[in-house]
Amino acid sequence: MSSFNRRAFCIAALAAIPACGFAPVYGPGGAGTALQGKVLVDAPITRDAYLLTRELETRLGRANPGRYGLSYAIDVDTESIAISKDNVTTRFNLLGEATYALRDFETNEVITSGRVNNFVGYSASGSTVAAQASEGDARERLMTILADQIVTRLIVAVPASGL
């Protein structure tokens, strides 16, 4: 009997979601579509910047020329997290931070800006080639995570800024 009550409560809660103003981000007129193909991401100058730009353009589309410009700066630090008894590091964390600013080209005003950070780990045990490949994969994963965080924050900022 209590199982039935829980189901009824869940159904009622789902029915109340549209009344709260919930709307799909990528639905018609949603905030996610407001930036599609309109954001010109700064040109990359490093491998990490290339990976971040690639992921941002995958999510926002490539604009040339765009109505908005997205500038960013990336900082990646390496941290040893596992050391063997022979004093050899076998595992690393990559700590990444990206600051960003979205500006309107027409008014030259910054619409939103912020900072995102995250980390990924990778193993350095094995051969040198395997460790380098592992680090490269970790950097790619880190830039994907940072791009996801930036896009999420941009989408959230869209309705508040009146784009």
Side-chain angles (χ1 to χ4, degrees):
M1 176 127 172
S2 67
S3 175
F4 175 76
N5 292 338
R6 276 186 251 139
R7 277 187 251 141
F9 175 75
C10 289
I11 290 171
L14 287 174
I17 287 177
C20 295
F22 173 78
V25 172
Y26 290 106
T33 58
L35 294 175
Q36 282 294 330
K38 296 179 184 171
V39 178
L40 180 62
V41 181
D42 284 353
I45 55 174
T46 64
R47 172 105 174 118
D48 287 339
Y50 165 76
L51 294 170
L52 183 71
T53 301
R54 182 184 72 185
E55 295 301 324
L56 289 168
E57 287 180 346
T58 298
R59 287 153 184 75
L60 296 173
R62 181 176 283 182
N64 193 13
R67 176 169 176 205
Y68 308 103
L70 182 64
S71 300
Y72 59 85
I74 305 168
D75 183 32
V76 178
D77 291 324
T78 304
E79 175 183 62
S80 303
I81 59 171
I83 301 174
S84 70
K85 63 182 177 180
D86 300 327
N87 204 25
V88 175
T89 304
T90 59
R91 189 148 183 86
F92 291 95
N93 268 352
L94 289 179
L95 309 169
E97 181 177 89
T99 55
Y100 64 92
L102 182 70
R103 64 194 179 286
D104 189 336
F105 285 143
E106 293 176 4
T107 63
N108 239 3
E109 292 182 23
V110 174
I111 296 169
T112 186
S113 62
R115 178 178 307 196
V116 295
N117 56 32
N118 219 309
F119 72 96
V120 294
Y122 68 95
S123 175
S125 59
S127 69
T128 304
V129 173
Q132 288 176 346
S134 185
E135 180 184 4
D137 179 63
R139 284 184 177 274
E140 190 167 341
R141 287 184 284 124
L142 180 61
M143 294 305 122
T144 300
I145 292 168
L146 294 176
D148 285 341
Q149 289 178 314
I150 291 171
V151 170
T152 299
R153 294 211 181 162
L154 293 177
I155 289 172
V156 169
V158 167
S161 63
L163 300 177

